[in-house]
Every structure is written in C-alpha cells, then in structure tokens.
Amino acid sequence: MARVVILILMVLCTATVAAENWPGWRGPQATGVSTETNLPETWGPADHVAWQAPLRGAGVSSPVVFGDRVFVTSQEGAGVRRRGSHPSLVQGPDGESAGERTLTGARQSDATRFIVSAFDRVSGRRVWEHVFDAEGALPEVHDKHNLASPSPVTDGRRVYAWFGTGQIVALDAAGKVVWQRHLGAEQAPFDLQWGHSSSPALYKDSVILVCYQGSSAYLLSLDANTGKTKWKVDRGKDVISYSTPVIVDSARGPELVINTSEGVEAHSPDTGERLWHFAESNRFPIPVPSPHEGVLYLSRGYRSGPFMAIKTGGRGDISKTHVTWHVPTGAPYVPSVVHYRGLVYMAGENGVVSAVDAATGERVWQERIGGIFTASPVAGDGKIYLVSEGGETVVLQAGRTPKVLARNRVDGHFVASPAIAGGRLFLRADDRLVAIGQ
C-alpha cells in the first residue's frame, strides 16, 4: 500500500511540475503553443469535460490561467449595436446555416456592468467576482461581440482587465482593486469601428496598451504597481488596430510588435521609441504575430489577406532587409496563425485549414475540414486545436500530412481562443467556461 501511495504522489508531483501557466491571450510566450504533454484528444458533452461554469453576463474574451486560478471577463447588460449592416465571415445569405452566429447569452439588466471572475482551475468553483459599472457613453460594437472582448492578463500577483470603454482595472489575488483608470474619459473616446478588442501586454513592471482608435491613436505604458503613466506615444489620427501587442526578444533588444492599419511596426517596450516598420495598408488589422527563434509569422487580417515572415532586429524600413517571405493572399480574416514544429497553421472562416512551410511560405497542404473559425488555433503535444463557432473542436495531428485525430463537440457559441494549462484545454463560450480533460 505504501508503494502505491508513493507512486501516486510521484505522478501528481510530476504533473504539477509539468504544468505551465497561460497568463495572456496567446499563452506563456505569446505564441499560442503549449509545452505540456498528455493533452486531451477526444471529448464530448458528457465525456472528459472536467467542469462547466456559467458566467454572469457574456463576452468573447479568452480565459487566462495562472497557478490554481482561471480568470475571465464578461459584460452584463445591453450594449450599443452599430447602425447599418454588419460584415460577416461567411459572405452571402447562408452564414447562419454554415454555423456563424451573433453573440449569445447576453443578459439584460438596469445598467451595463463589467465583470472579472476567478475560478478554481481544478474544480471550476467560482472563487471571487469583481463587478463595476461601465461609465460614460458606450461605444458601438459588432453583432458578434461586446465590450468584454479584450482578454485579461496576469503576472500571478495581479490580474489586469481592460474593456471596450477604455476602463482598465488591476485586481489582487483576492479580487480587490489595486488601481483603475478610464482611458476613454482621460485621453479620448474609444470609438473604433466595430469596437475595441486589443488585450493588454505585460513587460517587466509595465502594462502596455494599444489604443489605436482612429480618431486618436496612441501607445501607452502604465506602471503595473500603480497604474500611473510611464510613457505615451501619440500616433495621430487614422491609425487603427484591433490587434494585441506582442513583446519579443531580438539580438538588438526587446521589441513591442503591433499589427496596424498602416503595416507592422515595432517599438521599444522600455521607452516607446519606434524601431522598425513594414508598410502595408490593411482595413482590419486583427491577428497577432506568432514569434519563433527571431522570426515573426503573421497574417494581416481582412478577407484572404497577406501573410508573411519577418525577422526581428531591424531598424527603420525593413521591407527589403528583414522580410523572409511574403504571400499576398490566402490568410484568414480574424484568426491569428500558429507556428509549430516548422509549419505555420491557419484556419479560415470558410472551414479551410492550411499548413505552410515556415522557412519558405510555400503551401504544404490545404484541407476543407468544415466549420466557421473566429478563434485562433493553439498547439501542443503534437496536436493543433481548432475551435469552431458551433462548438466543434477539430484536433489535427501536427505534420506535413493532414490528419484529423478527432472532432469533439460541446454545446455553445465559441468565438474566444482557448487556453492550455495543467493538462486541460479551457474553452470559453459566450456565457460559460468549459474545462476539457481528466
């Protein structure tokens, strides 16, 4: 009996050591890749679902995980729908029949409130919840999301949650307010067409925010301990971005990389100084780069837009010096790409998945697997996970030959990208959180 107990303890300790955090939208290295093994492959509504937790309100922000806590944000109460027609991923009248949906689970209340929730990673028990009112005029948004679109980020001591009005709050481990600011009231209104979606990024003791709203575009660094401004870079008018900044190390120092309507640009995360840029206009710059060993793999966004590989470490205009390869068309509208084991994977809104060679950009394979993909793919344990809006997660075997390992479905509408931590896959539906795994 003693030997059995010792064996169990050894297995548990090994699992604890192997578990890694997923502290921001694209994981520990902002790549969408997990180093964990023994990740789930098959599941169903009543099979290998560890827990499901309802959320107060709705939203499309992704969950983040640190230690034994899972954090997620949502919005309670009605928002403001932008007037006119709303572009959809599926063109034509059959978007709904193909699986595309508008935001579900929105609950009416007498006021619009923002919610930051913390759950126990193992059991799904709600540990705490912080609720505060949305202040000022509410920005107009698209049918498929609301003002709880930016994902939170955490350093283990605090969780930083940003919302589409420009309100940002830092909460401690117990859910108490450390500091909060309202950038939409202090600086300029958050009036980006279709609504703000960029998530915060952490760098040393700073929280870095991309506020490229068009009418007033600026890059901001806040002290993570106090919320006070460390530096601000004004970008004038008419520069927009829906994308989240990515911080990477290069041979010449750290770089803060942003996908914008003017192109791809890098700044110093210490001072805000602009380091390099690649000029290429884009109406809806949404995806983020996937960095790997000094190279950024990224798509620009919009319908069948360009995708490319850019070497870090440049200065000034790097279009002729640091662009390894550039493909002018074929990338997804919304989802980011993921680099994994020498291939770059892309999941399109039309259910077509592609893998291209990371060294050359040449297509290795392309398959129509079905589904509507707004969430970005994640990878780990030799698998690629693709979460469709209809609740089906397609699990692919990573490699140069397309192979579907499993198709797994849970009920709900899924726009948020998944997180991986502690041997589990965390999926966020509009109105609830789902933990997949033993």
Side-chain angles (χ1 to χ4, degrees):
M1 182 66 182
R3 290 181 179 178
V4 173
V5 172
I6 292 172
L7 179 60
I8 292 173
L9 289 174
M10 289 174 65
V11 171
L12 290 175
C13 289
T14 301
T16 301
V17 171
E20 65 180 349
N21 297 313
W22 195 273
W25 176 51
R26 293 296 281 163
Q29 304 298 325
T31 59
V33 175
S34 171
T35 62
E36 293 192 14
T37 58
N38 298 317
L39 296 179
E41 181 176 312
T42 59
W43 62 88
D47 182 30
H48 293 137
V49 175
W51 51 261
Q52 297 192 48
L55 299 174
R56 177 178 171 181
V60 300
S61 60
S62 294
V64 299
V65 187
F66 202 102
D68 61 353
R69 294 288 182 267
V70 183
F71 304 100
V72 70
T73 62
S74 54
Q75 173 187 324
E76 182 179 56
V80 179
R81 181 186 186 274
R82 188 176 179 86
R83 296 178 296 277
S85 60
H86 288 209
S88 60
L89 298 181
V90 178
Q91 299 187 66
D94 59 346
E96 186 171 345
S97 62
E100 189 168 14
R101 300 285 189 274
T102 59
L103 182 72
T104 61
R107 301 174 186 176
Q108 300 298 317
S109 69
D110 56 354
T112 300
R113 300 182 178 92
F114 297 138
I115 303 150
V116 185
S117 302
F119 295 87
D120 181 86
R121 178 176 61 85
V122 176
S123 67
R125 175 181 60 88
R126 183 181 283 105
V127 180
W128 54 256
E129 192 172 75
H130 176 72
V131 184
F132 60 103
D133 291 334
E135 298 178 1
L138 299 181
E140 298 174 335
V141 296
H142 191 280
D143 278 335
K144 291 183 66 169
H145 77 129
N146 59 13
L147 300 173
S149 292
S151 300
V153 66
T154 180
D155 54 15
R157 296 182 302 157
R158 291 179 288 267
V159 57
Y160 308 87
W162 200 19
F163 295 88
T165 55
Q167 290 170 261
I168 183 170
V169 61
L171 305 171
D172 66 14
K176 305 300 181 183
V177 175
V178 178
W179 55 262
Q180 55 188 349
R181 291 183 63 172
H182 191 336
L183 302 176
E186 296 173 22
Q187 306 288 336
F190 273 43
D191 57 2
L192 182 62
Q193 183 186 24
W194 308 125
H196 176 77
S197 61
S198 179
S199 303
L202 292 181
Y203 171 73
K204 295 180 179 177
D205 61 348
S206 302
V207 181
I208 298 180
L209 310 171
V210 173
C211 309
Y212 287 14
Q213 299 292 314
S215 61
S216 177
Y218 59 94
L219 186 60
L220 192 64
S221 175
L222 305 182
D223 187 297
N225 299 302
T226 66
K228 294 182 179 179
T229 299
K230 301 182 74 171
W231 53 256
K232 179 186 177 187
V233 175
D234 289 310
R235 295 286 282 110
K237 295 183 178 181
D238 302 323
V239 181
I240 68 169
S241 180
Y242 300 87
S243 185
T244 295
V246 172
I247 300 167
V248 298
D249 289 323
S250 78
R252 302 178 70 175
E255 298 178 356
L256 173 69
V257 185
I258 311 167
N259 182 15
T260 83
S261 56
E262 291 188 340
V264 186
E265 61 187 40
H267 297 253
S268 165
D270 291 298
T271 65
E273 175 192 3
R274 194 180 189 191
L275 302 176
W276 58 259
H277 63 276
F278 169 74
E280 184 182 58
S281 61
N282 189 281
R283 290 184 62 189
F284 296 104
I286 300 172
V288 306
S290 179
H292 180 73
E293 295 183 351
V295 180
L296 303 164
Y297 301 93
L298 71 152
S299 58
R300 298 296 319 289
Y302 203 39
R303 299 190 188 280
S304 195
F307 58 101
M308 64 202 70
I310 296 177
K311 292 183 290 186
T312 60
R315 291 295 183 268
D317 182 356
I318 55 90
S319 58
K320 296 182 179 180
T321 59
H322 284 68
V323 178
T324 303
W325 50 261
H326 181 281
V327 179
T329 188
Y333 194 148
V334 175
S336 301
V337 306
V338 61
H339 173 281
Y340 190 58
R341 297 183 178 179
L343 296 178
V344 177
Y345 297 88
M346 299 181 288
E349 56 275 3
N350 56 1
V352 174
V353 177
S354 304
V356 302
D357 190 293
T360 65
E362 295 180 357
R363 182 188 298 167
V364 176
W365 56 259
Q366 186 175 76
E367 291 286 318
R368 182 177 295 277
I369 65 172
I372 304 298
F373 297 101
T374 301
S376 298
V378 296
D381 192 27
K383 308 177 186 74
I384 311 297
Y385 294 94
L386 308 169
V387 181
S388 74
E389 286 196 19
E392 181 181 63
T393 299
V394 180
V395 184
L396 301 178
Q397 178 177 292
R400 303 182 75 85
T401 302
K403 180 178 181 181
V404 175
L405 297 175
R407 292 178 178 269
N408 309 300
R409 182 175 295 278
V410 292
D411 294 332
H413 179 237
F414 294 83
V415 171
S417 301
I420 300 173
R424 287 178 175 172
L425 195 69
F426 294 89
L427 307 180
R428 191 260 169 86
D430 293 350
D431 59 352
R432 58 198 169 88
L433 198 59
V434 183
I436 304 295
Q438 295 291 343

